[in-house]
Amino acid sequence: MSYLHSIFVAPFADMADAPDFFLQVVWEGLVSGVLYALIALGFVLIYKSSRIFNFAQGIMVVFAALTLVGLHENGVPALLAVPLTLLVMFVLAVGIERAVLRPLVNQPDIILFMATIGITLFLIGLGETIFGGANKVMITEQLGIPTGSWVVEPFGGFVSVEQKDVTAVVGAVLLVIALLVFLNKSKMGRAIRALGDDHQAALSVGISLSTIWVLVWFISGIIALATGIVWGARAGVSFALEVIALKALPVLMLGGLESVTGAIVGGLAIGILEKVFEIYWGQPLLGGNTEAWFAYMLALLVLLVRPQGLFGEKIIERV
Amino acid sequence: MFYRIAGQYKTSYGADYALFPIKQDAWLLALILVFAFVVFPLTASDFMFRALLIPVLIYALAALGLNILTGYAGQLSLGTGAFMGVGAYACYKLITIFPEMNIIGAIVLSGFFSAAAGVAFGLPSLRIKGFYLAIATLAAQFFLLWLFQKWAWLYNYNASGAIQVPNTQLFGVTITGAQAPVLAQYFFVLITVCILTAFAINITRGRIGRTWKAVRDMDIAAELVGINLMKAKLSAFFVSSYIVGIAGALFVFLWRGAAEADLFDIQLSFRVLFIAIIGGLGSILGNYLGALLIVALPVIIGTVPAAVGLPISSAMVEHLNTMIIGALIIGFLILEPHGLARLWALMREKLIIWPFPH
């Protein structure tokens, strides 16, 4: 009985007792949720336009952040390092399209998936060879991101809000809006969506497959850089980031592989729920560190009810 | 010329479906077995056994298990590492709870624990398909890994959190533990792998294997012709996880000697998946070729700079190694997406007609 009480009653009583602490937990979860959503967005863009399940998105985040910090360490001013990093990401996109995607066109999904794991290994090796395996500090101040924190006082308690987290959330929202406008209004954006709908039809009206693929991988690179900056400001730049990027997979599954909305909603939901679960159930009852698996289990439960995810296209199968 | 098939007539359907339709295949296998059982034990050094032969066999076995699930039954799994872990921890618990138990018995039984875990996490496959199914196996991967770290009973409340393999004996020879002779360990692994491979070859050729292939090619069509999808998918999860679990037990007991939970992380799952894919999905031979490539490459690349005399630090070698392996994986996928096994099949076709062009 007391066990049931500690599962079903005590955590909610704790939440009601200290609403300011609860808000703090939710805010922390929201910030990591934004980052999951950003990584998942990179996945969705590539999946929509080429049906490639891009495992390398996580390492692209690390690689972009490492390039930025590495350039700065070698004397490039911070504001010049950003466009230079974008240039590197563009070269990477062209390189991947030329060397990996073009020869593998029309292969089964799993082969392309494996190829992106190959890209991941290659980029890990390349990054370590050039920049070394040590942890680095993100150049937060040099980029003009405020580092102080505000204290908000709801319900008579207090919630501390870091300014760089606010910057991250605002930046992510702006990035998503820009992306949605680009996808829906511009000619290139419409071409990307056309390619996502039907490869052959898109080809027959003169949309160039290879140009679009380079473009899509480049956009993913931009998103990766943005994610890298925000996450690096919170936790430092290291290859451990790649494991965190794996969290984007349950986010995607939860939201549905083809849906931009799904990536955002899924990211926020998983970010908040896993923090709340960890604080109120994981640490007191299960010995902590439940964040390692909570997202996957949640996605699995949702998929059992909706096999295509919350916002995914309904899977219709014919024989 | 060496593979001439002239004069080998088939006079019955049975002969057409034989395991070795051409005599030369059987001879080749016999030659490989002679090498494995006689030549290597007589010539190889301890380093060769520890760094190359034993890991190749164990990784090939794990890939074989995965290949049954992914290559034959078409269910993508990213949780192989965790299922290997279940086998290893189960074997450890069995040996420490029942110290009199024979090591063979412990390993055979430990497979059933990972098979049960595999079936449990395979249940969602009845509803979820393709990449979405990968999430179920990823959930297994991360949840089980967390369990290995947090459930102290599993590692007997060791302060280090690691499991240490106890000494066990078989026919008076020490098989596991620090003092075990490497030759005995090699033979133990080799015989286990041979038995399981023979089992896998026959199960994939038979009725069960054919239902798996039907499910892989199109599950709705398979259901329409009367195949019980639940039975087919869950039996694939069962057999696959059983083999993977035994590979995990061998991995810790006969190779590593000790293990922490982190050993069974997602990198291990990916390494096994690479072996299965580079070797060739839906082939038995491919697992061995893939394991040979993935295990031998780092060893070879690691020795090259020292041999040539390049002054490179060992950390740099490690980094370059990762990079080269990534590039090679992409290279092999482009060269032959169906894996090394297909490459061998093509070569064999050429050998049969050689030296004539047609």
Side-chain angles (χ1 to χ4, degrees):
Chain A
M1 197 61 209
S2 68
Y3 190 66
L4 286 179
H5 180 269
S6 68
I7 292 177
F8 291 108
V9 183
F12 295 105
D14 286 347
M15 285 179 207
D17 278 348
D20 54 335
F21 181 64
F22 179 65
L23 278 182
Q24 179 82 54
V25 171
V26 169
W27 167 252
E28 297 285 327
L30 184 78
V31 176
S32 29
V34 167
L35 290 157
Y36 297 155
L38 276 181
I39 300 174
L41 213 55
F43 272 96
V44 167
L45 271 183
I46 290 179
Y47 187 82
K48 263 175 94 81
S49 67
S50 53
R51 300 283 140 180
I52 294 172
F53 197 84
N54 177 25
F55 192 77
Q57 183 68 28
I59 195 64
M60 276 165 70
V61 171
V62 182
F63 194 74
L66 274 179
T67 312
L68 182 66
V69 177
L71 282 173
H72 185 72
E73 275 176 358
N74 288 319
V76 182
L79 291 178
L80 185 63
V82 173
L84 276 180
T85 310
L86 286 181
L87 186 70
V88 171
M89 295 316 280
F90 180 71
V91 172
L92 189 68
V94 175
I96 288 176
E97 197 272 332
R98 278 292 157 96
V100 183
L101 301 183
R102 201 176 284 187
L104 282 175
V105 105
N106 244 344
Q107 292 296 344
D109 292 347
I110 184 162
I111 300 295
L112 286 161
F113 172 60
M114 280 286 112
T116 64
I117 300 185
I119 296 174
T120 308
L121 283 183
F122 182 79
L123 285 181
I124 290 177
L126 187 66
E128 282 177 334
T129 309
I130 299 175
F131 305 108
N135 279 13
K136 291 193 186 333
V137 180
M138 178 44 77
I139 43 170
T140 320
E141 282 142 43
Q142 290 89 331
L143 286 170
I145 299 171
T147 49
S149 62
W150 290 313
V151 174
V152 193
E153 298 186 355
F155 313 116
F158 75 96
V159 176
S160 118
V161 175
E162 295 228 17
Q163 287 176 4
K164 60 185 175 200
D165 289 350
V166 180
T167 321
V169 172
V170 173
V173 170
L174 289 179
L175 190 69
V176 168
I177 291 175
L179 195 67
L180 285 178
V181 169
F182 174 75
L183 280 179
N184 287 309
K185 300 290 175 196
S186 77
K187 202 173 170 184
M188 279 295 205
R190 285 204 299 270
I192 291 177
R193 289 192 300 140
L195 209 58
D197 282 347
D198 191 329
H199 263 171
Q200 285 196 328
L203 281 175
S204 65
V205 295
I207 293 169
S208 156
L209 198 65
S210 45
T211 319
I212 296 294
W213 279 5
V214 170
L215 183 72
V216 166
W217 280 77
F218 179 49
I219 296 176
S220 293
I222 299 176
I223 298 177
L225 177 60
T227 323
I229 291 175
V230 224
W231 195 278
R234 279 171 70 84
V237 181
S238 74
F239 285 91
L241 247 172
E242 199 225 341
V243 182
I244 300 162
L246 269 176
K247 283 276 177 61
L249 295 176
V251 168
L252 282 173
M253 305 293 178
L254 187 72
L257 281 174
E258 300 94 354
S259 165
V260 173
T261 332
I264 296 165
V265 174
L268 297 182
I270 282 186
I272 294 172
L273 287 177
E274 76 171 10
K275 246 329 180 268
V276 171
F277 183 82
E278 166 72 11
I279 298 287
Y280 289 98
W281 282 272
Q283 278 174 4
L285 297 173
L286 294 168
N289 203 15
T290 54
E291 280 161 322
W293 53 264
F294 178 77
Y296 302 93
M297 283 297 188
L298 181 70
L300 183 57
L301 289 180
V302 171
L303 284 184
L304 282 179
V305 183
R306 276 183 69 87
Q308 72 276 29
L310 289 176
F311 297 90
E313 288 161 19
K314 187 146 181 60
I315 304 160
I316 300 165
E317 281 183 275
R318 295 187 187 86
V319 176
Chain B
M1 190 164 156
F2 306 108
Y3 251 88
R4 182 147 304 165
I5 50 172
Q8 300 185 25
Y9 298 113
K10 303 198 172 66
T11 49
S12 65
Y13 284 118
D16 226 14
Y17 283 111
L19 197 50
F20 303 108
I22 303 174
K23 251 188 291 176
Q24 282 86 341
D25 284 342
W27 294 343
L28 194 64
L29 181 70
L31 186 70
I32 291 171
L33 286 179
V34 165
F35 263 88
F37 276 95
V38 181
V39 178
F40 288 147
L42 287 178
T43 56
S45 63
D46 273 13
F47 172 77
M48 273 281 276
F49 281 119
R50 291 233 185 268
L52 212 59
L53 293 172
I54 295 180
V56 163
L57 287 172
I58 293 175
Y59 273 117
L61 188 64
L64 174 68
L66 177 65
N67 221 326
I68 285 182
L69 187 64
T70 306
Y72 284 96
Q75 313 294 311
L76 179 61
S77 166
L78 299 178
T80 321
F83 293 130
M84 284 174 78
V86 174
Y89 277 91
C91 192
Y92 176 71
K93 285 309 287 185
L94 284 171
I95 284 282
T96 48
I97 293 175
F98 311 104
E100 299 84 29
M101 189 183 241
N102 194 320
I103 177 77
I104 296 179
I107 288 182
V108 168
L109 283 180
S110 63
F112 285 107
F113 287 88
S114 67
V119 170
F121 282 98
L123 278 174
S125 70
L126 302 175
R127 213 169 137 68
I128 312 173
K129 285 172 192 167
F131 280 125
Y132 286 100
L133 178 64
I135 205 71
T137 52
L138 268 181
Q141 170 72 47
F142 287 99
F143 182 74
L144 290 171
L145 201 64
W146 176 82
L147 211 60
F148 298 154
Q149 282 163 349
K150 295 285 171 191
W151 194 6
W153 179 79
L154 277 180
Y155 48 85
N156 285 354
Y157 306 97
N158 273 346
S160 61
I163 54 175
Q164 196 71 38
V165 172
N167 291 320
T168 56
Q169 295 196 325
L170 191 67
F171 309 125
V173 183
T174 314
I175 285 288
T176 68
Q179 295 94 23
V182 70
L183 204 60
Q185 294 192 315
Y186 170 72
F187 271 114
F188 188 89
V189 172
L190 183 64
I191 291 170
T192 318
V193 170
C194 285
I195 293 172
L196 283 173
T197 307
F199 168 71
I201 289 176
N202 283 314
I203 202 170
T204 49
R205 290 166 78 221
R207 189 184 60 82
I208 301 174
R210 288 205 300 274
T211 55
W212 288 342
K213 287 180 199 166
V215 171
R216 167 194 69 189
D217 290 342
M218 183 162 238
D219 54 355
I220 293 183
E223 199 173 13
L224 286 178
V225 297
I227 287 170
N228 186 337
L229 276 193
M230 190 171 94
K231 255 192 200 162
K233 284 182 177 175
L234 290 186
S235 65
F237 268 98
F238 185 90
V239 173
S240 154
S241 311
Y242 183 83
I243 296 179
V244 166
I246 286 190
L250 294 179
F251 185 73
V252 171
F253 273 70
L254 289 133
W255 186 38
R256 305 299 295 243
E260 290 180 22
D262 282 346
L263 192 62
F264 304 104
D265 64 358
I266 188 144
Q267 302 303 334
L268 180 64
S269 302
F270 280 139
R271 201 171 314 136
V272 175
L273 189 59
F274 272 139
I275 291 172
I277 290 193
I278 294 229
L281 286 175
S283 110
I284 304 274
L285 169 74
N287 301 308
Y288 293 91
L289 301 177
L292 206 57
L293 188 79
I294 296 282
V295 176
L297 256 185
V299 178
I300 294 168
I301 296 173
T303 57
V304 165
V308 184
L310 281 175
I312 299 182
S313 69
S314 60
M316 188 58 115
V317 171
E318 185 96 354
H319 302 160
L320 284 175
N321 216 333
T322 319
M323 198 167 122
I324 293 171
I325 289 175
L328 275 176
I329 284 168
I330 299 172
F332 271 107
L333 287 178
I334 292 172
L335 178 74
E336 183 52 71
H338 299 285
L340 297 171
R342 172 68 67 88
L343 221 52
W344 162 243
L346 292 176
M347 232 166 76
R348 185 169 159 275
E349 292 292 310
K350 289 236 167 65
L351 274 176
I352 286 175
I353 51 172
W354 191 80
F356 306 108
H358 299 292

